[in-house]
Amino acid sequence: MVWSARWRLACLWVSQVARALADWGLRMFVILELARGPTDAKDFAWHLVTAVFIAPFIVLAPFNGAISNGLPRRWVLVGAAGFCTAVTAAFGVLMRPDDAGWLWCVCLGLTALGAAVYSPTRYALLPAAARDTAMPLARVNGWIELGGSAAVLGGMILGLHLDDVYRAEPSPLRLTLVLAVPTGLNLLALLTALPVRFPSDVWRPEPPGRAVIGFFRDGARIWRTREARGALAGLAGFLGLVTAGSGAIVAHVLETTPAADYGPLLQALVQVSVGAALGCGLAGLQGHPRRSLGLVPSAAAGLLAVLAWATVRGDLHWLPCLLLGVLGGLANVPLRAAYQAAVPADARGNGMAVMNMAIYMTTTALAVLMTVLAGSGVLPTPMAQIGFLAVLAGAGALVSWYLLFAPCLELILEILLVPIYRVRAHGPGRQGFPLRGPLLVIANHTAWMDPIWLMKVLPRRLTPMMTSAFYDKPGLHWLMKHVAGAIRVPDAGFRREAPELDEAVAVLDRGGCVLIFPEGRLKRREEELLHYFGQGVWHILRRRPETPVVACWIEGGWGSFTSYQGGPPMVNKRPDWWRRIDIAVREPEVLDPSVLADHRATRRHLMNACLEARALLGLPTPEPFEEEPGALAGSEPGT
């Protein structure tokens, strides 16, 4: 099943690469045709062609989203690729060497209609592809975006080559042969889209009128979702800056090179595209959806540095162009993955159309602003435009560091822990872990590092409940409060009030994920398999009875540097190095009301769930607990 899904994902990759090659090859060819036309269109050919191509993504977004959201996505991909195949084939037969430039724009605009439908459909498939292939969504996006960036580069080179071939002997036959290349690529995209089907994909059939209205309704739903709103704003802003920076680079190169010399322009665009492919590939190495967002602040700071460096130098060479693409790729992949994960499953087609529309609207608005400022003399040169973009990048860097400091710190911590712990997840809950909505995660507790190990393998933000003995330690308190957002649990005996339970319920009410170790303390003895769970977890579930529970088992923590084996944590033990930690994850479970009716039944049920998770690792487990398991666990029952 998994390998079949990965083969279908490979087909989708080939299909989207073929489509991008066809689009960019045709775009570059049309740009050169316009630039060599009877009027001097050199200065605006790039911008005109770009406007013609992105217009359908903006103007027709409700219809693009409705098509992608309401029809089987495999056939939408096939239909869009087939439409583009027919357009390029028809113009290959009908076009003549002396046809006006506007006819080339018509050809490109019609292919853009197919691209505007194909693009959101492709992105809408990726969450289902990630689930069915058992691959992290960020990694799937990295692979797809790497192919797309490489195809942009290949398409530009292809367009220039087709122009050279055509200009060597302008004739109707040569023009037909030139347009046969994008026709063949579109046909390849059609054929490789035929197998693209993922069982977990969700689409929402609706009548046409209701489907278009659904675009605006889903857009409002997405905007009300904090994670989706933030990722969309960041993605649109960042890609707008990178595109504007690329435009300034194009203007600078054209300003400093002879009229007929396109070599430097191609070189600069190749450097940006190569950088984008590298950045997307690097970003895809981080599969965790939350920690991958930690790449965004670093990318924003890097973009500020590159643009400021180019401004101070007053010139551009290969390194700023390459770094501009790398930094764009580093931010593009995690923001796209975060947005896709936050969009409701039944609204992914509309959601991806909203994403494309937002990106292109931001890009267009920034381009118009740059044009106005340049025309009014405020930004008279391309280098002045780059300096202005550096100021905008600085503002974006400040915002991203403020909002994403926690995942950035988690990413740094993960890198530091790579040689110390080898953490692996197992079990059916590993891929079926809910990415949205309230969730309670429970696990056994053998070492101080248990929350860190769980945060590494569970693909969303966890709000851990931590005892004050750990929470209040010097150097950790600030991190627990301001970075991890942990809930402090007083390390005391019987209490009449437990405000920490109110905090946990509040997190669940907001759709968050709470991590609790129901034993209430670290494992103390070798023979103690599981300490009797306290009542806190029952109190939380009694107030939130519909909350799914994911039971985990952590194996390998006992005997580690932060466990009680041989003495208190970090005493009488060697520091850990390359230690293996295995975590079993069960599927989410909503407890039956009959179980929740009694706190003892609830606690026994959850203890058995943890032991069943242990069994997923092939470890021996005792018989299911039927009575209070204090004697079996080797300790007194908890409170």
Side-chain angles (χ1 to χ4, degrees):
M1 176 66 177
V2 169
W3 286 107
S4 175
R6 290 183 179 181
W7 178 78
R8 291 192 291 269
L9 178 60
C11 290
L12 177 61
W13 189 87
V14 173
S15 179
Q16 63 106 23
V17 166
R19 283 284 306 115
L21 281 170
D23 286 343
W24 276 93
L26 183 61
R27 284 173 70 172
M28 285 301 298
F29 183 79
V30 173
I31 287 170
L32 297 176
E33 284 299 302
L34 291 177
R36 294 194 182 100
T39 59
D40 186 11
K42 175 183 177 181
D43 293 335
F44 63 83
W46 175 278
H47 304 290
L48 175 61
V49 169
T50 300
V52 168
F53 192 80
I54 70 173
F57 288 84
I58 300 174
V59 178
L60 301 178
F63 303 97
N64 302 335
I67 293 171
S68 177
N69 214 64
L71 297 174
R73 295 198 173 101
R74 170 173 54 171
W75 299 117
V76 175
L77 292 177
V78 170
F83 176 80
C84 293
T85 303
V87 168
T88 51
F91 275 84
V93 174
L94 299 175
M95 291 287 286
R96 293 293 180 268
D98 56 348
D99 282 329
W102 66 266
L103 200 55
W104 284 110
C105 290
V106 172
C107 175
L108 185 67
L110 289 175
T111 60
L113 288 175
V117 173
Y118 185 97
S119 177
T121 307
R122 171 193 59 177
Y123 283 119
L125 280 166
L126 298 188
R131 182 180 179 88
D132 293 349
T133 58
M135 294 172 62
L137 181 55
R139 192 159 298 159
V140 170
N141 269 276
W143 193 44
I144 290 292
E145 292 298 304
L146 186 153
S149 299
V152 169
L153 169 61
M156 289 189 294
I157 296 174
L158 174 64
L160 290 171
H161 179 68
L162 292 177
D163 180 73
D164 289 340
V165 170
Y166 175 60
R167 284 297 159 187
E169 184 185 340
S171 67
L173 178 59
R174 188 63 65 94
L175 185 57
T176 299
L177 293 176
V178 163
L179 287 178
V181 175
T183 301
L185 289 169
N186 282 316
L187 181 59
L188 175 62
L190 184 157
L191 295 175
T192 50
L194 286 171
V196 177
R197 182 182 61 84
F198 299 100
S200 62
D201 185 37
V202 177
W203 52 285
R204 192 177 68 207
E206 292 177 309
R210 186 175 178 182
V212 173
I213 295 173
F215 170 84
F216 298 98
R217 184 173 62 249
D218 287 338
R221 289 171 63 194
I222 292 167
W223 189 253
R224 289 193 297 268
T225 304
R226 180 182 176 184
E227 293 82 2
R229 181 174 67 244
L232 180 61
L235 183 63
F238 206 99
L239 292 185
L241 276 174
V242 171
T243 304
S246 301
I249 289 173
V250 170
H252 175 76
V253 172
L254 291 177
E255 185 181 70
T256 56
T257 54
D261 186 7
Y262 292 98
L265 173 60
L266 175 62
Q267 185 178 14
L269 294 175
V270 165
Q271 289 157 359
V272 173
S273 299
V274 168
L278 289 174
C280 291
L282 290 173
L285 296 177
Q286 174 52 261
H288 196 283
R290 173 170 166 79
R291 282 192 297 279
S292 67
L293 288 172
L295 295 169
V296 176
S298 300
L303 182 62
L304 166 62
V306 169
L307 293 175
W309 177 34
T311 304
V312 171
R313 282 178 53 90
D315 191 15
L316 289 167
H317 55 90
W318 68 272
L319 188 56
C321 297
L322 181 70
L323 290 177
L324 183 68
V326 169
L327 296 169
L330 283 177
N332 178 27
V333 168
L335 288 171
R336 282 194 193 272
Y339 177 75
Q340 291 164 10
V343 171
D346 69 329
R348 284 175 183 154
N350 283 327
M352 299 311 117
V354 168
M355 178 186 72
N356 285 338
M357 183 179 71
I359 291 172
Y360 286 126
M361 286 184 66
T362 303
T363 301
T364 302
L366 192 54
V368 170
L369 175 63
M370 298 284 286
T371 301
V372 171
L373 293 177
S376 62
V378 177
L379 301 175
T381 65
M383 297 312 301
Q385 296 172 23
I386 292 176
F388 175 69
L389 293 175
V391 174
L392 296 181
L398 290 175
V399 172
S400 62
W401 275 104
Y402 175 76
L403 295 176
L404 298 174
F405 178 72
C408 187
L409 198 61
E410 290 177 18
L411 180 62
I412 295 172
L413 179 62
E414 181 185 37
I415 295 172
L416 294 176
L417 293 178
V418 164
I420 303 176
Y421 297 110
R422 294 174 295 154
V423 186
R424 300 290 185 270
H426 311 267
R430 182 169 54 111
Q431 293 302 322
F433 195 85
L435 299 179
R436 304 174 67 247
L439 188 68
L440 187 66
V441 176
I442 64 171
N444 63 315
H445 201 14
T446 59
W448 279 352
M449 293 294 292
D450 286 337
I452 304 297
W453 296 330
L454 285 168
M455 288 178 182
K456 177 174 175 58
V457 299
L458 299 182
R460 64 182 289 183
R461 178 178 183 177
L462 305 181
T463 301
M465 300 186 72
M466 310 289 292
T467 63
S468 57
F470 186 80
Y471 187 100
D472 294 337
K473 285 187 176 298
L476 291 178
H477 176 77
W478 185 86
L479 289 174
M480 292 298 102
K481 182 177 181 179
H482 298 287
V483 178
I487 298 173
R488 182 180 182 274
V489 181
D491 190 14
F494 177 79
R495 292 177 292 123
R496 293 187 179 275
E497 296 183 356
E500 67 274 8
L501 300 182
D502 296 332
E503 292 185 54
V505 171
V507 172
L508 295 174
D509 288 339
R510 295 193 297 268
C513 180
V514 174
L515 167 62
I516 182 172
F517 299 100
E519 294 172 275
R521 66 171 198 174
L522 287 177
K523 178 177 179 176
R524 302 300 175 93
R525 299 191 300 273
E526 180 79 37
E527 66 275 10
E528 184 181 53
L529 186 62
L530 198 63
H531 189 66
Y532 190 39
F533 284 3
Q535 293 190 36
V537 65
W538 173 71
H539 284 291
I540 294 173
L541 289 172
R542 186 180 60 170
R543 295 169 61 179
R544 291 280 317 196
E546 299 300 322
T547 301
V549 180
V550 173
C552 303
W553 185 271
I554 303 171
E555 187 67 24
W558 178 251
S560 68
F561 187 58
T562 59
S563 72
Y564 266 98
Q565 187 185 51
M570 300 191 296
V571 176
N572 298 327
K573 288 175 283 292
R574 290 183 178 180
D576 297 321
W577 186 261
W578 205 237
R579 186 178 185 87
R580 177 164 178 169
I581 305 295
D582 291 294
I583 299 178
V585 186
R586 292 185 74 229
E587 291 182 322
E589 175 190 15
V590 177
L591 270 61
D592 190 271
S594 62
V595 175
L596 290 174
D598 178 68
H599 70 87
R600 295 180 182 85
T602 300
R603 294 150 76 186
R604 288 196 299 270
H605 181 91
L606 295 177
M607 292 182 72
N608 288 326
C610 285
L611 292 178
E612 289 173 12
R614 172 185 167 89
L616 294 173
L617 298 175
L619 300 172
T621 58
E623 293 296 322
F625 297 134
E626 300 295 342
E627 302 295 337
E628 289 190 355
L632 181 76
S635 60
E636 294 298 321
T639 57

